[in-house]
Amino acid sequence: MKFRCEDVSTDGKWCYLVFWVIGKPNTRWNLLKMRLVEASPSFSWAFGISRCYLPDSDSQSPKLPDLFLLKLACSDRTGLLYDVTEVLYKLEINIEKVKISTTPDGKVMDLFFVTDTRELLGTVKRRDEVYEYLRDAIGDSMMSYDIELVGPEITVRSQACASFAETFLSADVSGGHPSGLHTSNCVSIAVDNSLSPAHTLIQISCQDHKGLLYDIMRTFKDFNIQISYGRFTIKRGRNCEIDLFIVQSDGRKILDSSKQTALISRLRAELQQPLRVVMMNRGPDTELLVTNPVELSGKGRPQVFHDIALALKKINTCIFSAEIGRHVTGDREWEVYKVLINEEDSLPVPRSKIEEKVWNTLMGWE
C-alpha cells in the first residue's frame, strides 16, 4: 500500500486524519482497519471515521502480550522461510525473535518467539489454525510443530552479538563497507517560524519509500513533538513534499537553534537511510546484515524479516541460518538481522545483487 496524499489536523484533543492510498490486489482492508483501531488509545465510530484522543496522564501502561515459542522442523528448500513468515503475517502473529539453523543433511529447525495480535494463541483452536496454515504452505516436508508459552525469564530484547553489530553499525562512519551505504537521495528539510504565530513549519522534500510516514512520525515521537496540521503529497513518481506544523510538548514553537539542528539532523539521517543493508564476509561464509533503529518506546520496525525473506526468495537464494537481536551503540538501540547465505545455491547471484534486491524490497521499490 502506498500513500498518495494525507491531511492531518488536531485541536489538541481530537485528531482528524485523512489518507488517500493505493492498495494492491492482496491488500487486507479489514485487517488494516482493525489495526488502526487497535493503535488508537480509545476510539468511537461515526460514519466510518475513527476519532481518537490522548489518554489521561495517569492511565496505566498496556499489558505486554504473552510470548510464545513456535518450534518448526522440516526439510530445507528455497523460499521456505518466506512461506513461514508470510503465513504468520497473514494470521496476525508477530515475530519478535527468531533462531534458524540448517543441518548438513538439509533439515531445518526454526525457533520463532512470537506474539499473537488476536491474543488467542493460548487456545487449542488457534494453535490448530496455525498448524493447518503452515501445513498447507510447507507440505509434506513438515516433520514437527509445537507452540508453547514461554516464561518471563525469556526476553526477546536480548542483545545481538556485539562483535558483528558494532562492526556493522560503525561501517558507514569508518567507510569500511561502502557497499552497504544505500541511501535515499535528494532529502531536503527546512524550518520556518515566520508563517505561523503558534507553530513551527517543517518542510520536507524526499523520495518516497515504504514506511516513510512511519520514519517521520517515530522521529517526532522520540523528540516528544506534536503535529497540529500536516499535508503529504507525492509528485512525479517517488518525489514527496511534506508540510508539517509542529509544536513542542509544552505547546510552544521550536525556537532554539540547537533543537532545530538536532531535529533536522535526525530526520535527514532517518530519511536517507531508514535501514542499513550490507553483505559481509565471515571466514568462509557470507552474511547479510540488516539493521534499523528502535523507537524509544522499544518498538522495532514492522515486517523487516518478512521482506528480507521475500527478497531472497525472488532471487532464488537460500538462507542457511538467521538470527534477530538487539544492540545498543551510543544513545541508540538497533534491531539487527543476521542472515547466513547458502553460497552453493546463490553463486549465480552476485553479492551486490543480493544486497540491492534486499534494499529495494525493504524500501518498497520493487
Side-chain angles (χ1 to χ4, degrees):
M1 177 182 296
K2 292 185 177 181
F3 290 105
R4 294 303 299 175
C5 56
E6 167 210 1
D7 284 302
V8 178
S9 63
T10 177
D11 61 2
K13 180 178 180 182
W14 297 92
C15 290
Y16 179 68
L17 309 175
V18 179
F19 299 96
W20 285 267
V21 299
I22 298 176
K24 297 180 179 180
N26 61 348
T27 297
R28 304 173 69 192
W29 298 103
N30 289 335
L31 176 58
L32 174 62
K33 176 180 175 180
M34 183 179 69
R35 292 210 169 153
L36 287 172
V37 172
E38 290 174 347
S40 302
S42 57
F43 56 87
S44 61
W45 289 96
F47 306 105
I49 299 177
S50 173
R51 292 181 174 180
C52 58
Y53 59 86
L54 299 176
D56 296 334
S57 58
D58 59 349
S59 297
Q60 294 182 350
S61 300
K63 175 183 176 294
L64 293 176
D66 290 332
L67 185 67
F68 292 85
L69 174 60
L70 166 61
K71 294 184 286 188
L72 182 66
C74 53
S75 300
D76 192 22
R77 60 172 172 79
T78 302
L80 173 64
L81 185 56
Y82 167 74
D83 291 340
V84 174
T85 56
E86 177 73 359
V87 165
L88 298 180
Y89 172 70
K90 288 181 177 179
L91 291 175
E92 304 163 54
I93 294 177
N94 300 318
I95 300 174
E96 306 291 347
K97 182 177 174 62
V98 64
K99 172 66 176 177
I100 295 169
S101 57
T102 306
T103 62
D105 60 351
K107 301 297 189 298
V108 176
M109 173 58 74
D110 295 345
L111 303 176
F112 296 92
F113 289 90
V114 300
T115 56
D116 186 4
T117 302
R118 302 180 190 174
E119 299 185 355
L120 296 173
L121 205 50
T123 66
V124 174
K125 181 179 179 180
R126 178 64 161 163
R127 297 186 188 192
D128 289 344
E129 179 187 29
V130 175
Y131 171 78
E132 293 299 330
Y133 272 82
L134 288 173
R135 185 76 182 186
D136 289 342
I138 298 173
D140 295 335
S141 63
M142 181 189 292
M143 293 179 291
S144 66
Y145 157 90
D146 184 50
I147 296 180
E148 63 183 50
L149 179 67
V150 296
E153 69 277 4
I154 303 296
T155 175
V156 300
R157 300 181 186 276
S158 60
Q159 295 292 304
C161 174
S163 59
F164 77 80
E166 194 69 49
T167 300
F168 181 39
L169 292 172
S170 61
D172 58 330
V173 177
S174 63
H177 302 282
S179 62
L181 291 179
H182 294 285
T183 60
S184 179
N185 298 323
C186 305
V187 176
S188 173
I189 304 173
V191 177
D192 193 325
N193 277 308
S194 64
L195 292 180
S196 170
H199 299 87
T200 294
L201 171 62
I202 297 286
Q203 294 178 302
I204 302 172
S205 177
C206 62
Q207 284 183 295
D208 186 22
H209 67 253
K210 185 177 181 179
L212 171 61
L213 189 60
Y214 166 78
D215 291 323
I216 294 172
M217 296 305 177
R218 69 177 169 81
T219 302
F220 284 146
K221 179 181 177 182
D222 285 352
F223 274 76
N224 204 17
I225 289 174
Q226 299 175 357
I227 299 174
S228 299
Y229 308 97
R231 176 170 286 273
F232 174 112
T233 57
I234 297 179
K235 299 181 178 180
R236 298 182 301 278
R238 292 182 187 170
N239 296 323
C240 295
E241 294 183 359
I242 305 160
D243 295 326
L244 300 170
F245 288 85
I246 63 175
V247 293
Q248 301 177 104
S249 58
D250 59 4
R252 298 177 181 273
K253 301 166 80 171
I254 305 176
L255 299 175
D256 188 319
S257 60
S258 63
K259 291 183 179 179
Q260 293 179 14
T261 300
L263 176 60
I264 291 175
S265 177
R266 175 64 66 83
L267 275 173
R268 180 173 286 109
E270 301 298 348
L271 297 181
Q272 286 181 334
Q273 202 172 49
L275 305 109
R276 304 184 185 187
V277 180
V278 70
M279 300 287 292
M280 302 182 73
N281 292 324
R282 289 293 172 183
D285 301 319
T286 298
E287 288 179 351
L288 169 70
L289 297 179
V290 179
T291 68
N292 58 267
V294 177
E295 295 179 29
L296 292 182
S297 64
K299 293 183 179 179
R301 191 181 189 87
Q303 211 176 328
V304 173
F305 193 62
H306 172 277
D307 288 347
I308 293 172
L310 172 60
L312 296 178
K313 178 182 179 180
K314 286 181 178 179
I315 54 177
N316 200 34
T317 299
C318 285
I319 297 174
F320 186 77
S321 67
E323 295 181 56
I324 301 176
R326 293 198 175 187
H327 179 71
V328 177
T329 178
D331 61 347
R332 303 295 301 277
E333 182 179 20
W334 299 80
E335 235 167 18
V336 182
Y337 301 80
K338 176 184 176 183
V339 179
L340 186 63
I341 300 297
N342 190 327
E343 287 278 23
E344 293 181 359
D345 294 323
S346 61
L347 280 177
V349 183
R351 295 183 181 183
S352 60
K353 175 70 173 179
I354 297 175
E355 192 176 280
E356 181 182 5
K357 187 70 174 181
V358 172
W359 167 259
N360 286 338
T361 300
L362 289 167
M363 296 293 282
W365 294 346
E366 289 290 336

